Amino acid sequence: MERLFIDIALIWVVSILIMLPFARLKFHPILAFIAAGMLIGPYGLKIITHAENIKILGEIGIVLLLFTIGIEFSLKTFWRMRRFTLMGGLLQWGFSTLALLPVLYFFPISNPFTGIAITAAFALSSTALVLNLLQSQGMLTTFYGRIATGILIFQDLVAVALMFLLPTLLSARVSTTTLLTLGQSLVFLIGLMLVSIKVIPWLLHKVLQHTSRETLLLLLITLCFGIGWFTHAIGLSLALGAFVAGLSISESDFNIEAIGHLSPFHSVFANFFFVSVGLAIDLHFLVDHLLTIAAATLILMLIKAGILTGVLLFLKVPIRFAALVGILLAQVGEFSLVLLESIQTAATLPATLHNFLISIVIFSMILTPFLATALPAIERWMQRWVQPDLAPAPLEDQEEQPLELQNHIIIVGFGIVGRAVAQAAITAKIPYLVIEANYTTVQQEKQKGTNILFGDASNIHLLEKAGLSRARIIALTFPQATDAVTIIRSVRKLHPDIPIIARSLFASQMTLLYSAGATEVICDELETGTTMFSQILKAYLLEDSGFLQFREQLRQATYQQAAPSVAPVSPAAISSPDMSLHTLNITSESPLAGKTLQELDLSKQFGILAVGIARPNHPYTIPSADTALQPGDQLLLVGPREKIRTFLQQMLIDTIQSHQQDRDQSL
């Protein structure tokens, strides 16, 4: 026991030390744990020579990982994305499995089922790695990010099914009795799943009604290992039972809370599995066969990327997006390592082949972050050399003649922001046209009568068809800067002067978009911060127009700080350079309420004049010196912009101090 604790401590220390340089190189953390196992294992420094206990901890991690995946899995999401999860995922996995089979002819594999199992495992991609990359680069909600997610969901299900099937198919001769037993297990598993989906949420609800929420963690662990033990007792795997237990919670009210409780545990224990993988790798073999492993990895990734790109083109995904998804999912994933260990246990692969296969998985995962970083350059290359004719054909009912719109908005992207812009255009009775790369969305929107075209908005032919030369403005409503740059350049070739409003996820991307030719950039990051602080100010200023002015100043300052050379011009600043006109709303809590203009003496104090006043249901009139300001009044001020700004800032200070005094008195 003491030795186990020492080994665990060593693993964490070495893993952390390796993670630091790996993070700079943008390697996934999984690779750090594998490297730690290789370094301190029996083929490295020989600090850990007996890996049995580490493997047990790793198996616990796999059980918890499958439980968490079951909780996160949404049947509704799966069905909503069925075009890519079912058809795309099945075609990708099936064709990749078949395409890789001939390669195994060169390896010493006697059992054909072993060969099929290996290629089926290698057809899977890394869910953890790809989703992490998509999320960190803000691409998870993009069109190709959603496609990748859908295919990964299907692959996770395939991995679970393979974990269920492989022990039976590889440990015995496939016969009628074997298949019958397998069928009975499958029927029993489906029955267990249906019962669990009904019973477990009800049980959680009842238990948590009478206990504290801390009990939830203990109950979740009990369900995970309890159902896992039950499936193991009837001849199935622990991990499969854990997945069923998680799936039963996925559509309940407890799913998010459960994930929050379990995430640290499955992360810690799953990392032990990757350490155990590293412990099994022969470093001498890796060094001796480095070039062969690298060549095999590149060939494998090219095959997988090519197949997936072809499948997505068949599903009418534009070639640019199809190629990006193909590159992102070209690696072999963490579940392949799990399946390789199952294959090794059941079929006893030669040590040389086992090391070779694991090395390919690791190399492919190392290459993926670098490929993801290179995606913008790959996009630019495709934009220059890939002809638009290689894109999938448009919808059958998408007419070839240009749409005769005039002074219209071209909305690129029809997500939440795109739909909001379209709805605003409808309300204002402004004509608009949408360009959307999601084939399914276009089909659905055409049925609703939406004026929408299918395709990649960087396609010159499509832009001409959308009537770019006659359009008033173009709005790029998606937040991905690299895609926007490609589209902006295409737009500028056809129409150098049309206003282009782009959207960026991060402030660091604004200069890139302005340099490409955007007229104005709306940054999600900056708008969120500005709006959040504006709401804080609103609590003090109670919608006084000083709040509106200050909010605009805050927005301008924020954008100026983020992109000093290209900050947008505020509408509030478009007036005379010397004099400014400003309307001030008087509220019940305004420090001006109840005071006369003579008492305020705005001319002497601030160098500005009150030239008009409007009261509810009354037009503007010229105020006299003894006019007392009342809540609901609108005071029209004129003066140098800087002096009006000074006055509004003083108003802000006075209001905050007044609120502070009221709060102190109440205490």
Side-chain angles (χ1 to χ4, degrees):
M1 181 63 71
E2 182 182 353
R3 183 65 218 178
L4 175 61
F5 283 116
I6 293 173
D7 288 347
I8 291 173
L10 283 170
I11 287 170
W12 291 131
V13 170
V14 174
S15 297
I16 290 170
L17 292 176
I18 294 176
M19 272 186 187
L20 296 176
F22 272 34
R24 287 184 172 272
L25 295 171
K26 298 185 178 179
F27 287 2
H28 196 274
I30 285 174
L31 301 176
F33 290 103
I34 294 174
M38 293 167 59
L39 183 64
I40 62 179
Y43 300 103
L45 299 176
K46 296 182 174 58
I47 298 174
I48 297 178
T49 54
H50 300 288
E52 290 77 11
N53 290 331
I54 305 301
K55 286 185 178 180
I56 292 173
L57 294 175
E59 288 174 4
I60 293 173
I62 297 303
V63 170
L64 290 172
L65 178 63
L66 266 291
F67 184 46
T68 305
I69 288 175
I71 296 173
E72 291 177 330
F73 182 78
S74 170
L75 292 171
K76 293 177 182 177
T77 302
F78 183 80
W79 184 249
R80 187 171 64 248
M81 301 178 66
R82 61 190 178 277
R83 179 181 180 83
F84 302 116
T85 52
L86 289 176
M87 188 178 295
L90 181 61
L91 290 175
Q92 176 274 330
W93 177 73
F95 283 129
S96 297
T97 300
L98 293 174
L100 295 174
L101 276 174
V103 179
L104 295 178
Y105 174 79
F106 300 99
F107 298 99
I109 299 174
S110 56
N111 185 350
F113 286 109
T114 303
I116 294 172
I118 291 172
T119 58
F122 270 55
L124 303 176
S125 305
S126 174
T127 301
L129 180 59
V130 173
L131 292 184
N132 182 274
L133 289 171
L134 287 171
Q135 189 172 35
S136 64
Q137 297 186 18
M139 298 188 296
L140 196 59
T141 57
T142 63
F143 177 50
Y144 54 89
R146 292 195 299 269
I147 294 174
T149 302
I151 292 172
L152 289 170
I153 288 173
F154 180 84
Q155 290 186 359
D156 284 349
L157 288 179
V158 169
V160 173
L162 288 174
M163 293 180 70
F164 167 58
L165 294 171
L166 287 182
T168 304
L169 294 176
L170 297 179
S171 62
R173 294 176 61 86
V174 178
S175 61
T176 305
T177 305
T178 305
L179 293 175
L180 182 62
T181 303
L182 197 61
Q184 289 174 343
S185 299
L186 185 60
V187 171
F188 187 85
L189 186 66
I190 293 172
L192 176 63
M193 190 180 302
L194 293 174
V195 172
S196 299
I197 289 172
K198 292 291 184 183
V199 173
I200 290 179
W202 174 85
L203 177 63
L204 287 170
H205 178 72
K206 291 296 182 184
V207 170
L208 292 178
Q209 272 186 329
H210 305 289
T211 59
S212 64
R213 301 194 67 81
E214 286 74 14
T215 311
L216 178 61
L217 176 60
L218 182 60
L219 186 57
L220 290 171
I221 297 294
T222 302
L223 288 170
C224 172
F225 287 96
I227 296 179
W229 171 84
F230 188 71
T231 55
H232 180 71
I234 61 171
L236 302 176
S237 70
L238 276 168
L240 188 60
F243 178 78
V244 171
L247 192 63
S248 65
I249 304 172
S250 64
E251 299 296 339
S252 72
D253 296 333
F254 309 100
N255 55 354
I256 297 176
E257 184 76 10
I259 292 170
H261 278 291
L262 289 171
S263 183
F265 290 93
H266 91 69
S267 296
V268 169
F269 282 98
N271 289 332
F272 282 116
F273 168 76
F274 297 113
V275 171
S276 69
V277 170
L279 292 173
I281 295 176
D282 189 338
L283 276 175
H284 301 293
F285 174 87
L286 188 63
V287 173
D288 293 341
H289 299 84
L290 186 62
L291 291 178
T292 306
I293 292 168
T297 303
L298 290 174
I299 293 170
L300 169 71
M301 295 181 75
L302 284 172
I303 291 172
K304 291 187 67 177
I307 289 173
L308 182 51
T309 301
V311 165
L312 293 177
L313 287 174
F314 172 74
L315 295 176
K316 298 188 183 300
V317 174
I319 186 170
R320 187 159 60 95
F321 298 131
L324 291 176
V325 177
I327 292 168
L328 273 175
L329 271 63
Q331 79 290 127
V332 188
E334 62 277 354
F335 266 121
S336 303
L337 293 173
V338 178
L339 293 169
L340 280 177
E341 293 305 306
S342 297
I343 295 169
Q344 170 70 357
T345 302
T348 315
L349 296 174
T352 302
L353 178 59
H354 184 244
N355 275 319
F356 186 73
L357 294 175
I358 290 178
S359 300
I360 289 175
V361 176
I362 293 169
F363 264 65
S364 71
M365 293 178 74
I366 289 174
L367 288 175
T368 300
F370 296 105
L371 289 174
T373 304
L375 284 181
I378 295 171
E379 279 192 273
R380 289 192 293 271
W381 179 86
M382 292 185 67
Q383 174 68 13
R384 177 176 297 179
W385 297 107
V386 177
Q387 297 299 320
D389 295 341
L390 291 177
L395 295 176
E396 294 177 2
D397 58 344
Q398 190 162 293
E399 304 86 353
E400 286 303 318
Q401 67 272 18
L403 297 171
E404 295 300 329
L405 290 174
Q406 296 284 346
N407 265 357
H408 58 292
I409 307 170
I410 297 178
I411 302 170
V412 181
F414 212 51
I416 293 175
V417 176
R419 292 173 191 273
V421 174
Q423 187 57 51
I426 292 170
T427 303
K429 297 182 180 180
I430 299 173
Y432 72 92
L433 181 139
V434 178
I435 299 176
E436 170 59 50
N438 188 325
Y439 183 78
T440 305
T441 299
V442 174
Q443 284 181 313
Q444 293 170 348
E445 292 302 320
K446 274 193 168 288
Q447 292 175 359
K448 298 176 184 177
T450 304
N451 198 11
I452 188 168
L453 294 178
F454 166 69
D456 182 352
S458 63
N459 186 325
I460 299 293
H461 175 69
L462 184 60
L463 289 171
E464 290 175 340
K465 190 171 187 176
L468 180 65
S469 60
R470 302 181 306 277
R472 181 69 172 271
I473 194 168
I474 181 167
L476 311 182
T477 64
F478 51 87
Q480 287 70 44
T482 52
D483 292 342
V485 167
T486 304
I487 295 170
I488 291 168
R489 288 172 178 164
S490 296
V491 170
R492 287 294 176 227
K493 288 178 183 177
L494 292 178
H495 199 326
D497 301 322
I498 187 172
I500 302 174
I501 300 178
R503 177 183 166 205
S504 72
L505 195 60
F506 304 113
S508 58
Q509 300 168 336
M510 292 173 61
T511 302
L512 176 67
L513 292 168
Y514 278 114
S515 301
T519 309
E520 184 160 357
V521 179
I522 308 300
C523 175
D524 289 14
E525 190 175 45
L526 298 185
E527 290 296 332
T528 301
T530 303
T531 303
M532 185 175 291
F533 190 65
S534 295
Q535 293 301 315
I536 296 171
L537 290 175
K538 191 175 179 180
Y540 289 98
L541 295 172
L542 301 174
E543 300 188 78
D544 192 295
S545 65
F547 155 72
L548 300 175
Q549 178 78 3
F550 190 82
R551 181 177 65 181
E552 188 57 42
Q553 294 171 10
L554 175 65
R555 180 177 180 274
Q556 281 292 95
T558 306
Y559 272 88
Q560 185 67 36
Q561 184 179 9
S565 61
V566 291
V569 178
S570 166
I574 304 174
S575 61
S576 166
D578 298 320
M579 302 298 288
S580 178
L581 199 64
H582 186 84
T583 303
L584 183 65
N585 294 318
I586 308 300
T587 66
S588 59
E589 299 197 16
S590 170
L592 303 185
K595 295 183 178 179
T596 66
L597 293 179
Q598 186 175 5
E599 290 174 328
L600 295 174
D601 200 2
L602 298 177
S603 177
K604 183 178 180 180
Q605 295 291 332
F606 298 99
I608 60 177
L609 295 173
V611 296
I613 186 170
R615 289 188 166 149
N617 302 319
H618 289 82
Y620 272 103
T621 58
I622 298 175
S624 62
D626 59 353
T627 299
L629 300 179
Q630 302 172 4
D633 287 352
Q634 286 186 332
L635 190 62
L636 191 61
L637 302 173
V638 66
R641 180 176 292 105
E642 286 301 322
K643 294 192 175 183
I644 288 184
R645 183 180 293 116
T646 302
F647 167 69
L648 294 174
Q649 289 172 345
Q650 185 60 48
M651 283 276 298
L652 170 64
I653 295 170
D654 291 346
T655 304
I656 294 174
Q657 290 177 345
S658 176
H659 279 258
Q660 184 66 44
Q661 291 172 359
D662 292 343
R663 185 161 53 250
D664 293 343
Q665 290 176 1
S666 64
L667 295 175

